[in-house]
Amino acid sequence: MDYDKLKGVIEGLLFISGDEGIAAKEISEITQVPEEEIIDLIEDMKADFRRAGRGIQIVEVARAYQLTTLPEHAEYFERLASSPNQATLSQAALETLAIIAYKQPLTRSEIEEIRGVKCEKALNTLLSKQLIREAGRAEGIGRPILYATTKEFLEHFGLRELSDLPEPPMNFDLEEARLEASALFAKAADTGKPTTE
């Protein structure tokens, strides 16, 4: 594999590893390239990002590499965070919202089991937009938080009550959740209300 392609693979691995990051050793195992070579490539990538004036950088935290934004751009991210209603819902947030709407109340781990991926960011987004709320604690180890939809959720989608949701399929799966979420958001768009994340 040539170096440019390998750098692209590493960048992709860093991206999908998110906040947890990924160790050089793990990248080495995945790419079947010696760890020392991976570390050298990551150092090259850091320099490439700086030279190109990219908006992201590679940092090493707790022996794992991750992609982060540049500290000097913080004011722009703060503006985005302070006006969350301007952003549209991401696919992850839509899927998470559909799962909660049909299966509520449920815990984060139950949502992640259905989606097959982590959903902490999507939950935070939905909480900040007041489309979901903490609805108590589940029994059991750690007493995890239960999530449910809010009155604002009903208002946003023009629903009188939860029973007005379209009938869920008999075998609820992720693809069906995506379709239901799209249908809900199309309905909201038809009523002229802005779609928010």
Side-chain angles (χ1 to χ4, degrees):
M1 186 182 307
D2 69 53
Y3 283 131
D4 285 338
K5 183 173 181 181
L6 189 52
K7 284 180 180 180
V9 169
I10 293 169
E11 186 173 348
L13 290 170
L14 291 168
F15 177 77
I16 62 170
S17 68
D19 293 341
E20 293 178 12
I22 185 168
K25 182 179 180 182
E26 190 175 355
I27 296 172
S28 171
E29 290 168 0
I30 292 167
T31 59
Q32 299 180 342
V33 173
E35 186 176 348
E36 302 76 29
E37 208 170 313
I38 293 297
I39 292 169
D40 287 344
L41 281 167
I42 290 173
E43 291 304 317
D44 283 350
M45 291 170 67
K46 287 180 180 182
D48 291 345
F49 284 18
R50 280 191 299 272
R51 274 193 302 274
R54 300 275 300 269
I56 55 175
Q57 63 182 340
I58 301 171
V59 297
E60 186 177 5
V61 178
R63 308 193 89 173
Y65 293 98
Q66 57 184 239
L67 290 174
T68 68
T69 56
L70 300 176
E72 57 264 33
H73 297 165
E75 68 176 287
Y76 302 104
F77 308 134
E78 287 168 6
R79 286 183 204 161
L80 176 64
S82 67
S83 59
N85 291 329
Q86 301 304 311
T88 59
L89 280 172
S90 67
Q91 187 66 33
L94 279 172
E95 292 168 8
T96 302
L97 183 57
I99 290 166
I100 293 169
Y102 283 101
K103 298 280 201 177
Q104 63 187 305
L106 70 170
T107 65
R108 185 176 91 183
S109 62
E110 290 170 327
I111 298 166
E112 290 173 348
E113 188 176 317
I114 293 169
R115 286 196 64 229
V117 294
K118 293 185 182 290
C119 66
E120 186 174 355
K121 183 177 179 205
L123 286 173
N124 288 336
T125 297
L126 294 170
L127 284 165
S128 74
K129 305 224 179 255
Q130 299 179 341
L131 293 172
I132 64 170
R133 63 185 171 84
E134 293 182 6
R137 298 257 179 188
E139 295 299 322
I141 299 171
R143 296 193 37 99
I145 297 168
L146 290 165
Y147 295 97
T149 55
T150 61
K151 180 176 175 266
E152 287 80 5
F153 166 81
L154 295 173
E155 290 171 355
H156 183 80
F157 293 107
L159 301 170
R160 193 169 37 88
E161 53 193 31
L162 286 173
S163 61
D164 292 339
L165 283 167
E167 280 296 313
M170 293 303 286
N171 296 318
F172 188 83
D173 65 20
L174 183 57
E175 192 53 41
E176 291 294 337
R178 287 183 175 135
L179 293 173
E180 293 297 336
S182 296
L184 270 173
F185 274 76
K187 182 177 178 182
D190 290 342
T191 63
K193 293 184 180 180
T195 304
T196 59
E197 182 166 66

